[in-house]
Amino acid sequence: MKMNDFRLDGKIALVTGASYGIGFAMASGLAEAGATIVFNDINQDLVNRGIAAYKEAGITAHGYVCDVTNEDQVNEMIAQIEKEVGVVDILVNNAGIIKRIPMIEMTAAQFRQVIDIDLNGPFIMAKAVIPSMIKKGHGKIINICSMMSELGRETVSAYAAAKGGLKMLTRNICSEYGEYNIQCNGIGPGYIATPQTAPLREIQPDGSRHPFDQFIVAKTPAGRWLEAEELAGPAVFLASDASNAVNGHILYVDGGILAYIGKQPK
């Protein structure tokens, strides 16, 4: 192996829902490794926000409006990307939502919406890029799974079902298309310090940590929330030739939570 195996020069990486957050962080890492970045989001405002953020970071990115659950829109976007940028070498299925609702209070429509975006979306996206990857003779698909691909937790029944399904979709794409030199792996992020989670990490009026903050820190051997940028390295590895022998694997970037039973109460 050579260190150049980690380079992505000449590769086109499509990261879904990457206008901000962990998608943006991973796409930025792929760009630093040499990839040309393409991303989509659900509306033009988010795409414009993403283009501006990439530009500020010194990255030239190509943004498209597309709903990953709409197969016609996805096929049109992939055709447009192939015409305007080139064939997608790397697909990162990052777009997703979560609804924190107790199961017996969640409607079937709400459940279906989470499944549609978090599981059907990656299926539709992968289905759209695989034919050209087969023709080109290589391809990398990275599905953004979750610790909820392995664990259950109150109020996230739909999310856990979708992410558990995404884990198995990852393994099945590996099984079905590995012979075409296509590697499909997953990344399972831990708890990430983002603007969305900032209220959960604020110091309380009495000087104590937020109860959820205490819970996460106690459950994480690293003793802290993770940074979005810490997902960039794993994404580059799984997108690069350095991981050509890695297929059907879920790489959990969780600070050790899944390996840890937790601290004994005092």
Side-chain angles (χ1 to χ4, degrees), residues 39-174:
F39 73 98
N40 80 293
D41 224 311
I42 193 68
N43 61 52
Q44 190 64 54
D45 287 343
L46 284 172
V47 170
N48 292 343
R49 172 182 172 181
I51 292 290
Y54 286 109
K55 185 176 181 180
E56 185 177 352
I59 298 168
T60 299
H62 306 265
Y64 296 85
V65 176
C66 179
D67 178 353
V68 297
T69 69
N70 185 313
E71 191 166 13
D72 290 338
Q73 285 188 26
V74 168
N75 289 334
E76 289 173 7
M77 178 181 70
I78 297 303
Q80 190 175 359
I81 291 169
E82 291 186 356
K83 180 180 179 181
E84 297 175 355
V85 188
V87 172
V88 173
D89 299 288
I90 302 155
L91 168 65
V92 182
N93 278 314
N94 167 73
I97 64 168
I98 186 170
K99 289 184 180 292
R100 294 182 176 88
I101 304 171
M103 180 176 164
I104 61 172
E105 297 175 15
M106 175 174 269
T107 66
Q110 290 170 325
F111 188 91
R112 289 190 192 101
Q113 184 187 17
V114 176
I115 297 294
D116 204 21
I117 296 171
D118 292 4
L119 181 56
N120 290 341
F123 164 77
I124 292 168
M125 289 297 307
K127 181 183 174 185
V129 301
I130 285 173
S132 291
M133 288 180 173
I134 291 174
K135 290 179 184 177
K136 200 167 185 177
H138 71 81
K140 300 281 187 174
I141 298 173
I142 303 171
N143 292 324
I144 304 307
C145 297
S146 167
M147 289 187 298
M148 299 303 107
S149 297
E150 302 289 343
L151 301 172
R153 189 168 181 273
E154 63 275 8
T155 77
V156 294
S157 58
Y159 185 78
K163 293 299 186 177
L166 187 57
K167 174 182 71 174
M168 293 312 301
L169 177 63
T170 300
R171 291 175 176 172
N172 206 78
I173 292 172
C174 156

